[in-house]
Amino acid sequence: MAASHFGEKVYIWAAFYQKSQAIDMKTTSQSAHQTYIKQHQDRFLGELFDLLRIPSVSADPKFAPDVRRAAEYIRQRLLEAGADSATIHETNGHPIVYGERIQDPALPTVLVYGHYDVQPADPYELWDSPPFEPVVRQTKEHPEGAIFARGACDDKGQAYMHVKAFETMMQSGTLPCNVKFMIEGEEEVGSDNLEIFVQNNKDLLAADVILISDTGIISNTTPSITVGLRGMSYVEVEVVGPNRDLHSGRYGGAVANPINVLCNMIARLHDEKGRITIPGFYDKVTNLSLDDRKAMHEVPHNDDEFAADLGVDGLQGEEGYTTIERVGIRPTLDVNGIWGGYIGEGAKTVLPSKAYAKISMRLVPDQNSDEVTDMFAKHFLSLAPKGVKVAVRPHHGGEPAVIPTDSLEYRAASAAFEECWGKAPVPTRDGGSIPIVSLFQRELGLDSVLLGFGLDSDNIHSPNEKYGVFNYLKGIETIASFYQHYAGMKK
Amino acid sequence: MAASHFGEKVYIWAAFYQKSQAIDMKTTSQSAHQTYIKQHQDRFLGELFDLLRIPSVSADPKFAPDVRRAAEYIRQRLLEAGADSATIHETNGHPIVYGERIQDPALPTVLVYGHYDVQPADPYELWDSPPFEPVVRQTKEHPEGAIFARGACDDKGQAYMHVKAFETMMQSGTLPCNVKFMIEGEEEVGSDNLEIFVQNNKDLLAADVILISDTGIISNTTPSITVGLRGMSYVEVEVVGPNRDLHSGRYGGAVANPINVLCNMIARLHDEKGRITIPGFYDKVTNLSLDDRKAMHEVPHNDDEFAADLGVDGLQGEEGYTTIERVGIRPTLDVNGIWGGYIGEGAKTVLPSKAYAKISMRLVPDQNSDEVTDMFAKHFLSLAPKGVKVAVRPHHGGEPAVIPTDSLEYRAASAAFEECWGKAPVPTRDGGSIPIVSLFQRELGLDSVLLGFGLDSDNIHSPNEKYGVFNYLKGIETIASFYQHYAGMKK
């Protein structure tokens, strides 16, 4: 699912950019954490590898037993790390792991959210090593090695940092507050059951802040924190023509071909200026001031380099907006999958009965995913010609979100970066979506701190997903540091 | 492949229609044939079932051993039926079975063409019984039972009628001429190697007429003979965007999405009037006179019934032409398959690197398939926007063909129908393509007689392909009758 997303080359909402001096302040706790992490780093990696070997693909029912195995694995490690309790909560889908360590009800409480499910690894043949057999290889961005595996970054590697940061603080005697863990197994398929769980367990989940590592940083020399996220509307569409597959020679030209029709309908979802044609689609889109838009471009970005990295000879998008704006502050519509007719080897002259597509829209403040899904469905149905029946099935949605940088939580996260990375993080806006952020704001009244450590080049949702060994270990240290600063500021 | 096609509801070139009185003329040979067929009909069916059990899908390499088994099966049955010799000819692809019975070089020679390969049976789940386990069930069109299996009609059932008609004449002492059999295994993938075989074996294949059963009749009460065929151009297109699958949240809106692009390019292949936009596409299309077009509509056809049979609420096609014209005398373009991105269960927000489609065009006299393929490629490439690379790969082509009804061969076929069905056949034009008909005209200088017995409702190329038991047995009788009339007229 879209739910993961990092700071990236096209990410930065520089209006928030705050220059900050590197601070050389090694605290006692930081020193203890560093020592502990160094001593146990091989085990920390080995445990993550064991988790990565479990193919917990939530989207595909055939992996359901593996998804459960991953949940059980997390539960056991939480108990070993020092949780008072850790339990598996059943849902109508995959289970949720909940664990907690309550030191003193008077202390502030951090609620950690993460997910142990992963994206499908298809197409397997594009992986350089099997997606569920983690290996460490050096890369340009990760000279100290990167862990290659589906979920290495999104989100097993990042979620597991929290378990190990918790252990580190428990063993170092530095856990300064209470901590609750909620690690779900359906983030990649829309978190529908998490929403129900949150609604039904507000007391259990009572906390002061939510901490999530499912985003990224600009680079290992330019740390950043995501403060803006796009929302999402995701639908599957079906175009049905004749009641059976037909011979294209005998019927072609006289009967609407569902593939041709679907292509035509999809083509009509954008106009010639790259704008989405759904009536009302842009009505609620927050338009930034020219100054704010200008400020977005103070960060380094180069269209030619961006295109060269992707191997394309040109970029494409909504007229009147730059690449940074197209990905950061503008809503978009992409077909994520399409299929119909004969797709095997060779030639078959079928005029198929049906054609399908998966289509997602990224939303920006103040669009609403349910409203957009309704608008899409109405518009898409209106594009259907005679001779076909069209169905639109909503998959799941998520709302756009913005996190204030002047909050105590943001400042604590910023201080943790300063302590562990030697420089203040850049606040960024991200093109991706984490629907649960707006869910938590709505249901629990809590802001989320997006303390993610992935890189844009980590290939999440793609073949050869990876996560830097440096990022994994430094992330554990930074999370432990966050707790110290957060508890200190809350006093 | 398109290569099979029948007379059908939208087929009739009534300019050729000749009213004919039913003739009651039971000849001695017909009587002998009927008796022999009746005595051996269970074995005739059983042998066909054995052939249908071999999944000889030529398009899919994994079935290659089965394709060869089917060839060997045909070879053995030809020898048993009375062939002087029958051999397997290797090609660069699947083999060709050749067999012959030369009674007297002074007699005329009939060259029988057929194919033992079949279309892929996908999607298997839409079959009511397994595609390679033939069963007989009653249907509305086939009250005496129909054989359900892939290839039952196209073309194993129809090709095998010739082997059994040959046996019938051999055993009845009625074979009035020489006969040669050329049964290939690549008709459904374009007959590329057949073309080479024909070019290299002109002496071996020397004959007076070619007899093919790979078409159909209007109904079991209205026999017909196909006299016009559409040609074909078939291509596979590939649209490549970024060099890897991307996260749609992080890149969507800034990078051309190959699926959206492919849809847009496909949409632009037709204009709003349903005309194909490829420059020059219609230049060589033979335009029929208004009288000829009017004559086409003297046969029964009803758009509402046609649509109701297909379960659609309207028909679609080139403006200014009727359904009969759209399928019979106008060239068309259909997408036969499309795929790209994530097509598994659930939601995945990938912006894929690649998207593909299979596209076929049906051609009419005097279009040329190579020229049309070139025009398509040039036009399609010109539709590609910046940010993608496009490839067009030709699969195979075939030329349109028209067979004269005043020929001796046509008259012999017509007489065979009169004798066996009690009425003269209607000459029809068919929307499908049999590329080998024009190949034979070009390379061997021979006209083909399309003596096919399938029905429009036989679902060739679709799930639940079938062939009437009546059609199979009556077809054997009609073929044997053709030989008598043909030899008699040639004297």
Side-chain angles (χ1 to χ4, degrees):
Chain A
M1 219 280 299
S4 309
H5 36 80
F6 306 153
E8 52 191 340
K9 296 208 186 72
V10 281
Y11 34 79
I12 299 182
W13 212 25
F16 290 137
Y17 196 99
Q18 301 148 333
K19 283 254 166 173
S20 169
Q21 298 302 316
I23 295 167
D24 193 337
M25 47 173 270
K26 186 162 278 191
T27 60
T28 317
S29 63
Q30 190 197 6
S31 187
H33 296 162
Q34 285 182 333
T35 304
Y36 187 84
I37 293 166
K38 196 164 182 63
Q39 280 172 346
H40 298 275
Q41 64 180 24
D42 288 350
R43 180 172 54 80
F44 282 13
L45 283 164
E47 288 175 14
L48 173 58
F49 277 36
D50 286 343
L51 179 58
L52 293 172
R53 286 192 188 97
I54 306 171
S56 50
V57 178
S58 51
D60 190 338
K62 77 167 179 276
F63 292 108
D66 299 302
V67 177
R68 180 164 295 269
R69 264 203 302 143
E72 183 55 33
Y73 185 87
I74 298 279
R75 189 183 80 83
Q76 288 291 346
R77 298 295 89 73
L78 279 173
L79 288 171
E80 288 170 10
D84 302 328
S85 65
T87 48
I88 301 247
H89 287 253
E90 298 301 331
T91 73
N92 284 329
H94 300 300
I96 294 162
V97 183
Y98 176 81
E100 64 177 29
R101 167 78 183 184
I102 307 298
Q103 315 237 82
D104 178 349
L107 288 172
T109 299
V110 174
L111 174 58
V112 173
Y113 165 84
H115 64 94
Y116 63 81
D117 65 322
V118 297
Q119 277 280 317
D122 317 79
Y124 279 55
E125 66 272 20
L126 296 185
W127 287 75
D128 294 329
S129 54
F132 298 108
E133 297 175 23
V135 292
V136 170
R137 286 198 301 270
Q138 255 191 351
T139 71
K140 196 180 58 169
E141 297 88 358
H142 297 295
E144 68 301 300
I147 306 153
F148 284 81
R150 170 56 84 229
C153 177
D154 177 18
D155 182 50
K156 285 173 171 173
Q158 298 224 59
Y160 203 69
M161 292 186 309
H162 287 270
V163 183
K164 294 298 100 177
F166 172 53
E167 176 192 320
T168 298
M169 289 185 284
M170 288 298 291
Q171 295 298 323
S172 308
T174 57
L175 184 67
C177 55
N178 305 312
V179 56
K180 297 177 174 181
F181 293 90
M182 174 171 58
I183 316 293
E184 72 153 322
E186 295 190 307
E187 198 270 357
E188 301 292 1
V189 291
S191 301
D192 286 349
N193 290 302
L194 183 82
E195 180 164 0
I196 297 164
F197 179 79
V198 169
Q199 285 164 346
N200 292 343
N201 291 281
K202 292 188 181 178
D203 288 345
L204 182 72
L205 300 174
D208 295 280
V209 66
I210 295 174
L211 193 54
I212 304 176
S213 297
D214 198 11
T215 49
I217 52 177
I218 295 173
S219 75
N220 282 357
T221 53
T222 308
S224 56
I225 298 177
T226 303
V227 296
L229 293 168
R230 290 200 285 190
M232 184 155 65
S233 163
Y234 197 114
V235 298
E236 190 164 314
V237 299
E238 180 186 24
V239 176
V240 182
N243 51 19
R244 58 186 187 271
D245 284 0
L246 301 175
H247 185 293
S248 71
R250 295 153 65 200
Y251 293 93
V255 179
N257 177 326
I259 303 179
N260 289 77
V261 169
L262 176 59
C263 287
N264 197 29
M265 292 170 75
I266 288 172
R268 291 168 66 189
L269 293 174
H270 286 95
D271 68 15
E272 286 171 13
K273 298 184 171 179
R275 278 176 71 88
I276 294 155
T277 55
I278 300 167
F281 184 79
Y282 292 97
D283 284 358
K284 292 197 174 173
V285 168
T286 302
N287 286 309
L288 271 69
S289 70
L290 277 180
D291 278 353
D292 280 349
R293 286 175 63 181
K294 203 174 157 195
M296 290 182 71
H297 297 87
E298 288 173 13
V299 295
H301 168 82
N302 180 303
D303 267 359
D304 292 339
E305 286 171 17
F306 182 73
D309 173 53
L310 299 172
V312 294
D313 66 357
L315 301 174
Q316 203 188 62
E318 187 182 355
E319 231 177 79
Y321 293 92
T322 65
T323 298
I324 289 178
E325 292 167 342
R326 287 167 176 171
V327 176
I329 58 165
R330 299 298 296 172
T332 57
L333 182 152
D334 271 287
V335 182
N336 303 113
I338 192 166
W339 68 105
Y342 182 67
I343 62 177
E345 277 199 57
K348 187 173 167 175
T349 51
V350 64
L351 192 166
S353 171
K354 295 176 183 178
Y356 301 87
K358 294 176 193 270
I359 299 175
S360 66
M361 286 154 282
R362 300 287 173 164
L363 313 181
V364 300
D366 291 316
Q367 290 180 297
N368 173 280
S369 69
D370 286 344
E371 282 175 19
V372 167
T373 302
D374 285 350
M375 283 178 201
F376 174 90
K378 195 176 292 180
H379 181 58
F380 200 70
L381 294 175
S382 80
L383 298 178
K386 261 196 178 179
V388 300
K389 297 180 200 79
V390 174
V392 176
R393 299 187 184 92
H395 257 296
H396 63 262
E399 306 310 324
V402 176
I403 295 128
T405 52
D406 56 2
S407 63
L408 184 149
E409 293 76 16
Y410 183 85
R411 287 188 287 116
S414 185
F417 268 110
E418 291 195 53
E419 182 175 60
C420 301
W421 297 64
K423 57 174 80 172
V426 178
T428 65
R429 262 204 177 201
D430 190 357
S433 314
I434 308 192
I436 39 88
V437 168
S438 57
L439 167 71
F440 296 152
Q441 281 181 329
R442 188 177 70 241
E443 298 294 338
L444 303 176
L446 291 177
D447 282 334
S448 297
V449 176
L450 299 176
L451 207 59
F453 302 93
L455 293 189
D456 184 34
S457 55
D458 281 347
N459 292 334
I460 65 162
H461 293 206
S462 295
N464 299 316
E465 176 175 352
K466 60 181 177 291
Y467 189 41
V469 171
F470 168 83
N471 301 65
Y472 178 62
L473 298 172
K474 183 58 86 179
I476 294 169
E477 183 190 333
T478 311
I479 290 167
S481 172
F482 169 82
Y483 280 77
Q484 314 308 315
H485 290 283
Y486 178 69
M489 290 178 184
K490 279 292 265 190
K491 266 179 193 155
Chain B
M1 218 281 300
S4 308
H5 36 80
F6 305 154
E8 54 191 336
K9 295 207 187 74
V10 281
Y11 36 78
I12 300 183
W13 213 25
F16 291 136
Y17 197 98
Q18 302 150 330
K19 285 254 168 173
S20 170
Q21 298 302 316
I23 296 169
D24 193 336
M25 47 172 269
K26 186 162 277 192
T27 59
T28 317
S29 61
Q30 190 198 7
S31 185
H33 296 163
Q34 285 180 334
T35 303
Y36 186 84
I37 293 166
K38 197 164 182 65
Q39 280 173 345
H40 298 274
Q41 65 180 23
D42 288 349
R43 179 172 55 79
F44 283 10
L45 282 164
E47 287 175 12
L48 173 59
F49 277 35
D50 286 342
L51 179 59
L52 292 171
R53 286 191 188 97
I54 306 172
S56 49
V57 178
S58 51
D60 191 337
K62 77 167 178 277
F63 291 108
D66 299 303
V67 177
R68 181 164 294 270
R69 264 205 301 143
E72 182 55 33
Y73 185 87
I74 297 280
R75 190 183 78 83
Q76 288 290 345
R77 297 296 88 71
L78 279 174
L79 288 172
E80 289 170 11
D84 302 328
S85 66
T87 49
I88 302 247
H89 287 253
E90 298 302 331
T91 73
N92 285 328
H94 301 300
I96 294 163
V97 183
Y98 177 81
E100 63 178 29
R101 167 78 182 184
I102 306 299
Q103 315 237 85
D104 177 350
L107 289 172
T109 300
V110 173
L111 174 58
V112 172
Y113 165 85
H115 64 94
Y116 63 83
D117 64 322
V118 298
Q119 276 280 317
D122 318 77
Y124 279 55
E125 66 270 21
L126 296 185
W127 286 75
D128 294 330
S129 55
F132 298 107
E133 296 175 23
V135 292
V136 171
R137 287 198 300 270
Q138 255 190 350
T139 72
K140 195 181 59 169
E141 297 88 1
H142 298 295
E144 68 300 300
I147 306 153
F148 283 81
R150 170 56 84 231
C153 177
D154 179 16
D155 182 50
K156 285 173 172 173
Q158 298 224 59
Y160 204 68
M161 292 186 309
H162 288 270
V163 182
K164 294 297 101 178
F166 171 53
E167 176 193 321
T168 300
M169 289 184 284
M170 288 297 292
Q171 296 297 323
S172 307
T174 58
L175 184 68
C177 54
N178 305 312
V179 56
K180 297 177 175 181
F181 292 91
M182 174 170 60
I183 316 292
E184 70 151 325
E186 295 191 306
E187 198 269 358
E188 301 293 2
V189 292
S191 303
D192 286 348
N193 290 302
L194 183 81
E195 181 164 0
I196 297 165
F197 179 78
V198 169
Q199 285 164 346
N200 292 342
N201 292 280
K202 292 188 181 176
D203 288 345
L204 182 72
L205 300 173
D208 296 280
V209 66
I210 295 175
L211 192 55
I212 305 177
S213 297
D214 199 11
T215 50
I217 52 178
I218 295 173
S219 76
N220 283 356
T221 53
T222 309
S224 56
I225 298 178
T226 302
V227 296
L229 293 167
R230 289 201 285 190
M232 183 155 64
S233 162
Y234 197 114
V235 297
E236 191 163 315
V237 300
E238 180 187 23
V239 176
V240 182
N243 51 19
R244 58 187 187 271
D245 283 0
L246 302 174
H247 185 293
S248 71
R250 295 153 66 200
Y251 293 93
V255 179
N257 177 327
I259 302 180
N260 290 76
V261 169
L262 176 60
C263 288
N264 197 28
M265 292 170 74
I266 288 172
R268 291 168 67 192
L269 293 175
H270 286 95
D271 67 15
E272 287 172 10
K273 298 185 170 177
R275 279 176 70 88
I276 295 156
T277 57
I278 299 167
F281 185 79
Y282 292 98
D283 284 358
K284 293 198 174 172
V285 170
T286 303
N287 286 308
L288 271 68
S289 70
L290 278 180
D291 278 354
D292 279 349
R293 286 176 62 182
K294 201 173 158 198
M296 291 181 71
H297 297 87
E298 288 174 12
V299 295
H301 168 84
N302 180 302
D303 267 359
D304 291 340
E305 286 172 18
F306 182 73
D309 172 54
L310 299 173
V312 295
D313 66 357
L315 301 174
Q316 205 188 60
E318 187 181 356
E319 232 177 79
Y321 294 91
T322 65
T323 298
I324 290 178
E325 291 167 342
R326 286 167 177 171
V327 176
I329 58 163
R330 298 299 297 173
T332 58
L333 182 152
D334 271 287
V335 182
N336 303 112
I338 191 166
W339 68 104
Y342 183 66
I343 62 176
E345 277 201 56
K348 185 173 169 176
T349 52
V350 65
L351 192 166
S353 172
K354 295 175 183 177
Y356 301 86
K358 293 176 195 270
I359 299 175
S360 65
M361 287 155 281
R362 299 288 173 162
L363 313 180
V364 300
D366 290 314
Q367 289 180 298
N368 172 281
S369 70
D370 286 342
E371 281 176 19
V372 167
T373 302
D374 284 349
M375 283 178 202
F376 175 90
K378 195 176 291 180
H379 181 58
F380 200 70
L381 295 175
S382 80
L383 297 178
K386 262 195 176 181
V388 300
K389 294 181 201 78
V390 173
V392 176
R393 297 186 185 93
H395 259 296
H396 62 262
E399 308 310 323
V402 175
I403 293 126
T405 52
D406 56 2
S407 63
L408 183 152
E409 293 76 16
Y410 183 85
R411 287 187 288 116
S414 185
F417 268 111
E418 291 194 55
E419 181 176 59
C420 300
W421 298 64
K423 57 173 80 169
V426 178
T428 64
R429 262 205 177 201
D430 188 358
S433 314
I434 307 190
I436 37 88
V437 168
S438 58
L439 167 71
F440 296 153
Q441 280 181 328
R442 189 175 69 241
E443 298 294 336
L444 302 177
L446 291 176
D447 282 334
S448 298
V449 175
L450 300 175
L451 205 60
F453 302 94
L455 293 189
D456 184 35
S457 55
D458 281 347
N459 292 333
I460 63 162
H461 293 209
S462 295
N464 299 316
E465 177 176 351
K466 61 180 177 291
Y467 190 41
V469 171
F470 168 82
N471 301 64
Y472 178 63
L473 299 173
K474 184 57 88 179
I476 294 169
E477 183 189 334
T478 311
I479 289 167
S481 172
F482 168 82
Y483 280 77
Q484 314 308 315
H485 289 282
Y486 178 69
M489 291 180 184
K490 280 292 267 191
K491 267 178 193 156

